[in-house]
């Protein structure tokens, strides 16, 4: 997604949703609801285009 800093992707890939949403709000100047929608769209793009880059989540360690 254009216009978002690389830190948003890094936070999404590391399962830091709140940090990513806060950055999206700051950069785009949008509401929480809008930021969550942008987050969801970017998350799906990353899952599709870079699935191997996702780190295991806290509930996925040891599997």
């Amino acid at each position: 997604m254009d216009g978002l800093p690389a830190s948003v992707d890094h936070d999404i890939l590391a399962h830091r949703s709140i940090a990513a949403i806060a950055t999206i709000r700051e950069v785009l100047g949008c509401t929480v609801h809008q930021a969550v929608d942008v987050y969801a769209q970017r998350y799906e793009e990353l899952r599709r285009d870079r699935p191997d880059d996702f780190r295991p989540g806290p509930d996925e360690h040891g599997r």
Side-chain angles (χ1 to χ4, degrees):
M1 177 161 291
D2 293 335
L4 294 177
S7 65
V8 171
D9 286 358
H10 296 298
D11 287 336
I12 292 172
L13 293 169
H15 304 281
R16 293 188 299 258
S17 303
I18 294 171
I21 291 168
T23 301
I24 292 167
R25 286 195 69 208
E26 182 179 317
V27 170
L28 299 181
C30 60
T31 67
V32 172
H33 182 78
Q34 291 166 327
V36 169
D37 289 345
V38 171
Y39 172 91
Q41 179 182 352
R42 185 62 187 147
Y43 180 94
E44 291 303 320
E45 290 170 356
L46 289 171
R47 272 289 185 195
R48 181 190 66 229
D49 299 338
R50 299 171 51 187
D52 294 336
D53 289 344
F54 279 82
R55 296 181 189 163
D59 59 337
E60 298 173 315
H61 286 286
R63 287 187 185 182

